[in-house]
Amino acid sequence: MKQIIYKNTTISYTDSGKGTAIVLLHGFLENSTMWAYFVPEFSKKYRIICIDLLGHGATEPMGYVHSMEDNADAVHAVLSELKIRKAAFVGHSMGGYVALAFAELYPHAVKGIVLLNSTSRADSDERKANRDRAIKAVKQNYTNFVRLSIANLFSENNRERLADEIENVKEEALKTPLQGIVASLEGMKIRKDREVILHFAPYPILLVLGKSDPVLNYDENIDQIENTSAKLLSFPDGHMSPIENREQLKKELPEFFKSI
């Protein structure tokens, strides 16, 4: 991995291939290793940048709240270091929130966005209360919280079939420091609603949702792209399409990349 220092914080990333830049942003409790299956294929035609978000992977925490804007600024610092002026973004879950924050802060630097098991909407009051409960839970029993959180991202049908994969995700998640977890939960809790971007963005947007997602209710989220030019890609499974639907994603994402 390569690194830059941004605001006295080490930000880690990988940079593979040549061509149009595509930035892959992982979700909460994940890191850039989650993209390992896709990078060799995508980097044949594109320049693929995978960034560890604040307090995840090999990127250090930066304070006690990692807002989506803080993460977006860190992503921008990496792209500036690489002299990349415009890129497309694929954001999984929290990574989608960061991609939208980036799009708001740096609109002219965006060529397209894939919201992968993600949403443009802010947390509801219920979700905010759940974040607070999660912060208490992880402080009380870190390991239990992380292992349960990961298992609950997969559709029930896949938990046995993908047991080995899920165990690998848990092992990576357990590398996330407590401060990184708490700061990210605080940041997600206070994030802005950015649904307006889906309506007025001048670049293509793809929303990928799982019909059995235990975290993001499918029916409550498909209507955010009504009356927009954003496209929808649906899978029958859970919140972890990069694992649950990896073969289909490996085919579908390059189709979207052609439109950017």
Side-chain angles (χ1 to χ4, degrees):
M1 294 197 84
K2 300 174 181 178
Q3 296 180 323
I4 63 165
I5 303 298
Y6 168 71
K7 293 189 175 178
N8 298 318
T9 303
T10 299
I11 312 292
S12 299
Y13 66 94
T14 63
D15 179 7
S16 315
K18 292 180 179 176
T20 299
I22 295 170
V23 180
L24 306 182
L25 300 174
H26 64 79
F28 175 60
L29 293 178
E30 300 167 352
N31 58 55
S32 56
T33 63
M34 70 164 288
W35 303 111
Y37 179 78
F38 301 95
V39 172
E41 185 65 26
F42 294 171
S43 61
K44 289 176 184 174
K45 291 188 176 179
Y46 302 96
R47 186 176 184 182
I48 304 297
I49 318 295
C50 301
I51 302 174
D52 281 346
L53 296 173
L54 296 174
H56 287 72
T59 290
E60 297 172 334
M62 189 173 74
Y64 295 99
V65 178
H66 293 158
S67 72
M68 300 306 102
E69 293 86 351
D70 291 334
N71 275 294
D73 286 338
V75 168
H76 186 257
V78 171
L79 296 185
S80 297
E81 172 75 14
L82 297 175
K83 297 184 169 51
I84 293 171
R85 289 177 52 236
K86 291 190 88 161
F89 294 81
V90 179
H92 181 242
S93 197
M94 183 179 78
Y97 310 155
V98 175
L100 289 170
F102 185 98
E104 184 177 271
L105 292 168
Y106 308 102
H108 301 300
V110 180
K111 296 185 86 163
I113 293 177
V114 178
L115 294 177
L116 180 53
N117 313 115
S118 193
T119 179
S120 63
R121 291 173 173 163
D123 272 0
S124 64
D125 289 342
E126 182 186 355
R127 288 289 294 266
K128 287 177 181 173
N130 287 342
R131 303 272 189 214
D132 287 331
R133 279 194 284 275
I135 289 167
K136 282 183 185 171
V138 73
K139 287 178 177 177
Q140 285 170 353
N141 191 328
Y142 168 90
T143 304
N144 197 43
F145 170 82
V146 170
R147 295 186 71 83
L148 269 177
S149 295
I150 295 301
N152 289 338
L153 297 175
F154 292 81
S155 70
E156 284 186 35
N157 296 342
N158 285 329
R159 288 176 196 171
E160 197 172 314
R161 179 175 74 85
L162 296 170
D164 291 344
E165 293 273 13
I166 294 171
E167 193 55 38
N168 291 338
V169 179
K170 288 176 182 176
E171 291 305 315
E172 285 298 327
L174 287 166
K175 298 175 184 175
T176 316
L178 177 63
Q179 184 184 343
I181 293 175
V182 172
S184 297
L185 286 165
E186 294 282 9
M188 288 188 287
K189 184 177 74 177
I190 62 170
R191 77 180 188 282
K192 289 169 58 178
D193 188 300
R194 293 190 166 93
E195 193 172 340
V196 65
I197 292 174
L198 305 188
H199 288 266
F200 296 106
Y203 42 77
I205 294 175
L206 176 66
L207 177 65
V208 183
L209 295 175
K211 291 184 177 177
S212 301
D213 191 327
V215 181
L216 285 179
N217 181 281
Y218 179 81
D219 294 325
E220 288 174 8
N221 278 283
I222 49 172
D223 64 346
Q224 67 187 299
I225 60 168
E226 273 182 21
N227 304 316
T228 77
S229 59
K231 300 283 191 290
L232 175 67
L233 174 60
S234 299
F235 292 123
D237 302 288
H239 194 69
M240 296 295 283
S241 292
I243 294 173
E244 293 176 278
N245 310 105
R246 59 166 41 151
E247 287 300 329
Q248 298 101 309
L249 262 188
K250 194 163 95 169
K251 289 178 188 166
E252 295 286 352
L253 288 182
E255 286 301 312
F256 174 79
F257 297 158
K258 289 176 187 173
S259 70
I260 60 179

